[in-house]
């Protein structure tokens, strides 16, 4: 698995889980959804993503899709 695929999978899982938590537990979990979306948005402009750095240090291989 490459860093790009791992980022997409983890980002999607975080959004999905936070939406479910917002629906069934407490609406304040939607703030986590907004945080993940904002982080993805800013990383598109700055090419800086904290999870990308963490995954690379954990040894996930770089590569294309």
């Amino acid at each position: 698995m490459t860093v790009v695929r791992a980022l997409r999978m983890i980002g999607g899982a975080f959004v999905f889980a936070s939406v479910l938590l917002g629906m069934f537990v407490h609406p304040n979990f939607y703030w986590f959804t907004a945080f993940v979306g904002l982080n993805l948005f800013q990383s598109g402009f700055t090419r800086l993503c904290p999870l990308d750095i963490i995954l690379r240090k954990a040894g996930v291989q770089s590569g294309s899709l």
Side-chain angles (χ1 to χ4, degrees), residues 9-29:
M9 291 173 58
I10 294 169
F14 278 2
V15 169
F16 184 68
S18 63
V19 167
L20 288 178
L21 288 168
M23 289 172 54
F24 296 113
V25 178
H26 196 276
N28 279 340
F29 279 105

Side-chain angles (χ1 to χ4, degrees), residues 15 18-19 28-41:
V15 169
S18 63
V19 167
N28 279 340
F29 279 105
Y30 291 128
W31 286 107
F32 186 65
T33 308
F35 170 75
V36 172
L38 185 62
N39 189 24
L40 290 168
F41 183 74

Side-chain angles (χ1 to χ4, degrees), residues 4 12-13 21 27 32 34 42 44 47 60 64-65:
V4 174
L21 288 168
F32 186 65
Q42 71 82 25
R47 298 183 56 103
V60 178
S64 62
L65 301 172

